[in-house]
Each structure stands twice: as C-alpha cells, then as structure tokens.
Amino acid sequence: MASYKKPRLRDLALRRLLSVVFVTLCVVLILIFLLGSNSTLNNETKDLEIVDDGSRYRRDLKFTKMQTLPQQSDLSLKLGKLNLLPPRNLDLYPNLAKDAIIVVLYVHNRPQYLRVVVESLSKVVGINETLLIVSHDGYFEEMNEIVSGIRFCQVKQIYAPYSPHLFPSSFPGVSVGDCKDKDDAEGKHCKGNPDQYGNHRSPKIVSLKHHWWWMMNTILTSLKPVKCPDCYAANLAPSDVNSRGEDWETLIAERMGNVGYSFNRTVWKKIHNKASEFCFFDDYNWDITMWATVYPSFGSPVYTLRGPRTSAVHFGKCGLHQGQGENTACIDNGMANIRVEQPDKVANIGSDWNVHVFENQPGYKAGFKGWGGWGDDRDRHLCLSFASMHHSSKGASSPL
C-alpha cells in the first residue's frame, strides 16, 4: 500500500512480491487426485429453508449456533495436532517485527508449481523478515517435503482438517450411497442434494471452496489503506490476470482481484458476517461466490488498490478445469516461462501518486446464478461450521 512515509526497501520489495511469481495458487494448485468420502452431518435439511428464486438458498438457523462438524478421520486428527505446532526456523529467525508481513500460500498437490513459487520467494529482498504460512488441502508427502526444505524465513504449515482428501469413506469425501452426477435421489435411493443444474456434489470440486473458507477463517492479514479509504483490499496484480498493468505513475483502484490479495481484520469481519450468503450460493468457486453475492451485499462498490505494474503472475496450465478427466490428465513439468522486464525489478508504488479509479468493469456481478457444484446441504452446513468453529468456546482452537 502507499503511505505518507517513504516506503521501506523491505516493503517495496515485498509489494513487488515475486517479480517472477507469487501466483494464484488458488487456481493453479487446487486439485488432482483425492481420497474421497461422505458421512452425514446431523441436522442436514431440517434447518434449511430453500427459497425458490432459482439461485439463492436460505437457512432458518441462528448463525451463532455451532454447526455440527463431521467426525474426523485418524489422518485428520493427526494433522490437526500438527496445526498447533509453532513455526519452523525460529532458531534462524527468532524475532519478527510486530508489523511483519505475512505471506500465505494455499496449495493442493502441484509440486512442480510449488517449487517455482518457493524458489521465487527465496529471492525476494526482505523475505527473511516475514512469516510464510502454507495452508494444505490434503496431505501429500512431496508437497510437505518442499515446504520442510524452506530455510529463508519462518514457516508455518497448516492442514485443512476437513479436506475431502482426508476422508476415504465418509463425508466430506465420498461414501457408499452417495448420489453421483445426475442421479435421481428418490429413484436410486441415494443420498445428496443436486445443484441448480441437477448435478450432485463432487468432493474434488467442493474442496476448492471449503479450503479457502476454512483458511480465511483461520488466518487474517493486515492492511492500512491510506490513499484509498474506500478500498477494501490491496492486490498485487490487475483483476485481468492476462494484464501486466498500465505502467502509469498512478495507483489503480479497481474491482477486487483474486491474485495476491490482502485485507485487514475489519474487512474480514465484514466478509465473515456474510457467511450465510457465501455458504449457500450455488457455485463451487470461492472467488465467483464473492463477486456474485458477498461483495454486492455490502451495498456499495468494492474496490481494491494496486500498483500500475503487476507484482504477481498467474502461471501453469494444470488448473482446476484443465485436463482432470481420467483420459485427459493434464501434464505439466512445472517450467514457468515468465517474462521479467526491467520495470518488474523495481518498486512500482509511489507515495505521492494519485489514484485512478476504474469503474463499471466487466466481470461477475450480482444476479449471476452461479456455475453450480454446490448444491448439497452437507457442504453448506460444513461451510457454516468453518465460520463458527473459531468463534465458539466449544469450537476447535485456532492453530494461529
């Protein structure tokens, strides 16, 4: 963010964060193989009231009531204990400043991409003054080994304890008796609720939204907007992931992006208060859910502030949608062909710059009904559980 004070070298370097990569691991690193499953949550449908408006699902449920979490598998319980461990490398970096920058990556099972990101982070000036948090969707040994090898800063690993990949024979994975694809639940006597397009849940798809929501309820980052008080966040890249920026000497306020974003506790509380809207919108994408239902519910335009040159780059071709079928496996050796130009090597934030506002940009907005994939009542209740698990004396303690 811009400041009235001259930015420190450390902050400038980190805002450029990965002239070479700090990516949207949200899309690139999500999914591959899973161990799935499915057991039933208590109070599955009796607390739900479905409003027939074609897209919105409401609940007749007090938000403060702690939701019922699935019974944890052995692996889930073991990883939950690992979540309580302190950061590693405290012997190398024992003291962090109170305002130390926190870098958060959330990953699934793309080791070839994670290596690129870790290598890039290791070259950032001032990275030794940060805390790196890596949030895992599932446990994969190769991913764990990569993170375990990091020595350039403090590192904290957390594992989503209710990832579908940790439940081989019960919900949130797949269990015997679950409906699949477009099964008729009544005719086949199977279990599940279809989305608005008639499709039943796929654990490998819903884990995307579950992981992001669990992580955000566990981790908070800080941001002090000065130049744009009405901006909700800061982004390291344009909302158009194909853009490298404008190269102007001005800050940019635009629609919220999903690459390298940061916001403070106040903004998070505002988002958290919209847990019902987030958890009951029929779209498995967390970012589209935010654009189509959460942000519009704030009642005014939601802007984010960024520099005129991208500081984060989306890379890789094996994302959620590419080549995940049994006969069309996506193969990528992890080579990142990222063009780094001279402007990418210097700070792109000026404290004396004005702010240019992009209004009425294209993209998902209120009224979009969602892509589906999020129609099962159990996923909605699990989502609500994450929203309340750290806000109840009976809930699990936060690993941070």
Side-chain angles (χ1 to χ4, degrees):
M1 291 296 297
S3 168
Y4 288 122
K5 298 180 181 180
K6 186 176 180 179
R8 292 175 295 177
L9 176 61
R10 182 199 71 174
D11 294 334
L12 291 174
L14 287 171
R15 285 187 186 106
R16 288 301 308 134
L17 206 50
L18 282 48
S19 355
V20 172
V21 255
F22 186 20
V23 5
T24 322
L25 284 175
C26 58
V27 174
V28 182
L29 295 180
I30 298 286
L31 285 214
I32 221 190
F33 303 106
L34 46 141
L35 313 168
S37 68
N38 242 357
S39 87
T40 331
L41 284 175
N42 294 329
N43 306 318
E44 274 186 14
T45 58
K46 65 181 181 182
D47 292 325
L48 288 174
E49 174 191 354
I50 299 179
V51 178
D52 187 20
D53 65 357
S55 64
R56 299 298 181 101
Y57 296 83
R58 304 290 182 185
R59 62 187 175 99
D60 182 15
L61 183 68
K62 295 294 184 182
F63 177 68
T64 55
K65 178 182 176 182
M66 183 66 181
Q67 299 296 295
T68 305
L69 288 166
Q71 183 176 354
Q72 289 181 262
S73 64
D74 290 342
L75 180 56
S76 174
L77 289 170
K78 290 178 181 178
L79 295 179
K81 292 179 180 179
L82 293 181
N83 287 349
L84 301 178
L85 295 177
R88 289 201 304 276
N89 298 335
L90 289 176
D91 56 329
L92 301 176
Y93 314 100
N95 301 308
L96 292 182
K98 290 183 178 180
D99 61 347
I101 292 175
I102 299 175
V103 179
V104 183
L105 303 179
Y106 77 111
V107 302
H108 176 50
N109 189 21
R110 300 292 195 203
Q112 67 271 40
Y113 294 156
L114 182 57
R115 287 192 186 93
V116 174
V117 174
V118 169
E119 175 66 19
S120 298
L121 279 172
S122 70
K123 298 177 181 178
V124 174
V125 176
I127 191 65
N128 60 306
E129 301 175 40
T130 70
L131 169 63
L132 174 63
I133 298 176
V134 182
S135 180
H136 295 263
D137 182 16
Y139 183 85
F140 302 93
E141 189 58 42
E142 190 173 2
M143 298 291 286
N144 191 59
E145 289 178 357
I146 294 172
V147 179
S148 297
I150 294 175
R151 294 290 182 269
F152 52 76
C153 67
Q154 286 190 19
V155 182
K156 169 75 174 178
Q157 284 179 274
I158 57 175
Y159 300 87
Y162 297 98
S163 166
H165 310 287
L166 305 181
F167 293 78
S169 58
S170 62
F171 179 84
V174 176
S175 58
V176 176
D178 276 355
C179 297
K180 299 178 181 179
D181 302 325
K182 291 184 178 291
D183 283 350
D184 177 6
E186 187 173 335
K188 287 201 170 185
H189 304 290
C190 57
K191 181 171 48 183
N193 311 96
D195 63 17
Q196 59 185 308
Y197 303 107
N199 300 300
H200 286 277
R201 74 186 295 269
S202 169
K204 68 179 182 180
I205 296 297
V206 300
S207 66
L208 173 66
K209 189 169 177 177
H210 278 314
H211 183 201
W212 186 86
W213 185 242
W214 173 83
M215 182 189 69
M216 295 307 297
N217 275 279
T218 305
I219 302 171
L220 298 171
T221 58
S222 62
L223 167 70
K224 294 182 179 180
V226 175
K227 284 288 187 176
C228 185
D230 294 328
C231 288
Y232 282 76
N235 265 98
L236 292 175
S239 57
D240 178 0
V241 297
N242 296 315
S243 171
R244 297 300 292 262
E246 298 78 16
D247 284 332
W248 302 338
E249 289 192 359
T250 181
L251 300 173
I252 306 297
E254 64 171 354
R255 72 188 295 266
M256 188 80 81
N258 62 2
V259 180
Y261 52 89
S262 171
F263 46 78
N264 64 11
R265 185 179 296 269
T266 300
V267 172
W268 168 245
K269 287 181 177 179
K270 197 174 181 70
I271 294 172
H272 182 266
N273 287 338
K274 301 297 181 179
S276 178
E277 286 82 352
F278 182 90
C279 292
F280 285 86
F281 184 68
D282 189 10
D283 195 304
Y284 64 90
N285 299 282
W286 66 265
D287 47 0
I288 295 177
T289 299
M290 297 292 287
W291 289 322
T293 185
V294 175
Y295 296 147
S297 70
F298 291 169
S300 60
V302 175
Y303 291 111
T304 184
L305 191 66
R306 64 170 173 83
R309 182 79 180 179
T310 186
S311 300
V313 179
H314 177 281
F315 73 93
K317 65 181 181 180
C318 293
L320 177 63
H321 306 285
Q322 292 87 3
Q324 296 299 331
E326 294 182 359
N327 299 320
T328 56
C330 182
I331 300 175
D332 192 341
N333 61 9
M335 298 298 292
N337 184 21
I338 299 173
R339 176 172 45 90
V340 179
E341 300 175 352
Q342 188 58 37
D344 295 321
K345 301 178 181 179
V346 297
N348 72 335
I349 299 290
S351 60
D352 58 341
W353 291 352
N354 293 322
V355 177
H356 180 86
V357 180
F358 285 124
E359 298 180 350
N360 303 316
Q361 290 177 285
Y364 295 100
K365 295 181 174 64
F368 178 66
K369 293 185 176 182
W371 291 111
W374 195 261
D376 199 296
D377 292 342
R378 295 168 296 178
D379 287 314
R380 299 182 190 133
H381 277 270
L382 181 59
C383 180
L384 288 175
S385 299
F386 296 156
S388 57
M389 65 190 302
H390 298 310
H391 299 268
S392 168
S393 59
K394 296 182 181 179
S397 59
S398 172
L400 298 180

